[in-house]
Amino acid sequence: DAKTTQPPSMDCAEGRAANLPCNHSTISGNEYVYWYRQIHSQGPQYIIHGLKNNETNEMASLIITEDRKSSTLILPHATLRDTAVYYCIVSVNQAGTALIFGKGTTLSVSS
Amino acid sequence: DVKVTQSSRYLVKRTGEKVFLECVQDMDHENMFWYRQDPGLGLRLIYFSYDVKMKEKGDIPEGYSVSREKKERFSLILESASTNQTSMYLCASSLMTEPYGYTFGSGTRLTVV
C-alpha cells in the first residue's frame, strides 16, 4: 500500500506554475514526504523531500500542510521538459530499507 | 556528473537462460537497489544492498539473486529466465546517511522469449 493518493493526470500550460497535490492522511510523525519524477524511458529522478517545513530547491518547492496530511509540489514555471510522471512517496518497505513507489501523476505540459 | 550506469539498455534472452544485469555507480554510495517496473504495477523492489557482500530481499525476490563484490557494482541475476520476467529493470543507489535520496540508472528493458 503506497499510502498516498495522487490524481492520475494533470495538464499545465508552458510557463505557468504546476501544482501537484498529494494526500497522505495516514502519515506518521517521523515519515518524510519524497517527490520523484520519471520522464519517459528514463529512471526516476529525485526532486525534493520534507518533513514538516516547506522546502525549496532549484527544481521545485514543496508545501506541506500543518497537519501533514497533504502536500503540494510546485514547479514555478513549467516547461515542456517537465512532462513526466510525478511520484509522491511516504512509504518504505517492511524492512524499512527502500521506498515504495505508487502510480503517480502524469503531468502533461503543453505550449 | 555523477551517475548510475546500467550495462544494457535493451536485452533479449531466451527462456531458461541465466541472465546478468549489471549496475555501476561512481558516487561511492553504500546503498544499491534493484527495482522492476511494469505497466499498472509501478516500481517494485527486488533486492537491496547496504554494503559489499550484504543483501536484503525486497518485495519480489523470487527467481532473482544478486551479487555485490565491490562497492560500486551491484548485479542482478535471473537464474533461469522466464517470460514473466520480461520487464524494465531499474538500478538505484543512495548514501547511507540519505537512504531515500536515490539516483537511478536509465534502465534495462529485458525481453524473455
Side-chain angles (χ1 to χ4, degrees):
Chain A
D1 184 3
K3 295 171 58 178
T4 61
T5 303
Q6 297 179 257
S9 63
M10 294 182 63
D11 296 316
C12 180
E14 189 176 22
R16 305 297 293 265
N19 297 285
L20 291 91
C22 180
N23 288 320
H24 31 78
S25 57
T26 60
I27 192 171
S28 63
N30 61 351
E31 286 181 320
Y32 282 77
V33 179
Y34 290 83
W35 283 85
Y36 281 75
R37 74 178 182 183
Q38 187 172 22
I39 296 170
H40 183 62
S41 298
Q42 296 182 21
Q45 176 190 23
Y46 166 81
I47 302 173
I48 199 167
H49 73 281
L51 183 63
K52 294 181 181 178
N53 300 322
N54 298 336
E55 303 287 344
T56 296
N57 63 20
E58 65 277 6
M59 290 183 67
S61 295
L62 174 61
I63 308 297
I64 302 174
T65 58
E66 193 168 342
D67 62 8
R68 301 207 334 117
K69 292 185 177 181
S70 65
S71 60
T72 302
L73 181 75
I74 301 171
L75 308 177
H77 305 285
T79 71
L80 299 178
R81 288 182 293 181
D82 292 322
T83 293
V85 179
Y86 287 78
Y87 298 97
C88 168
I89 305 162
V90 301
S91 305
V92 299
N93 65 339
Q94 283 191 336
T97 50
L99 293 173
I100 297 175
F101 288 75
K103 292 185 171 59
T105 296
T106 298
L107 175 67
S108 299
V109 181
S110 56
S111 55
Chain B
D1 193 18
V2 294
K3 62 173 65 172
V4 175
T5 303
Q6 295 186 229
S7 55
S8 302
R9 190 78 175 98
Y10 297 95
L11 212 51
V12 180
K13 295 292 182 181
R14 295 192 179 278
T15 301
E17 275 194 77
K18 189 169 186 176
V19 180
F20 293 85
L21 302 184
E22 306 289 343
C23 175
V24 178
Q25 51 95 3
D26 64 1
M27 297 166 283
D28 203 33
H29 283 176
E30 295 87 1
N31 300 335
M32 296 189 75
F33 308 83
W34 276 105
Y35 286 82
R36 64 176 282 179
Q37 184 171 30
D38 301 287
L41 297 177
L43 283 82
R44 292 179 292 167
L45 180 67
I46 305 172
Y47 265 98
F48 158 70
S49 170
Y50 57 87
D51 200 354
V52 175
K53 297 191 186 296
M54 304 302 291
K55 61 184 179 184
E56 286 189 26
K57 293 180 179 178
D59 299 322
I60 52 163
E62 295 78 19
Y64 304 94
S65 62
V66 289
S67 173
R68 190 153 181 215
E69 297 295 320
K70 293 184 178 180
K71 189 176 185 179
E72 66 270 20
R73 186 180 297 270
F74 191 36
S75 303
L76 180 69
I77 305 158
L78 285 66
E79 298 290 345
S80 177
S82 64
T83 55
N84 63 14
Q85 292 178 309
T86 291
S87 185
M88 169 69 85
Y89 289 87
L90 290 157
C91 175
S93 70
S94 72
L95 285 169
M96 187 67 76
T97 54
E98 183 52 65
Y100 304 128
Y102 293 175
T103 300
F104 276 90
S106 297
T108 295
R109 183 162 294 281
L110 172 68
T111 302
V112 182
V113 297

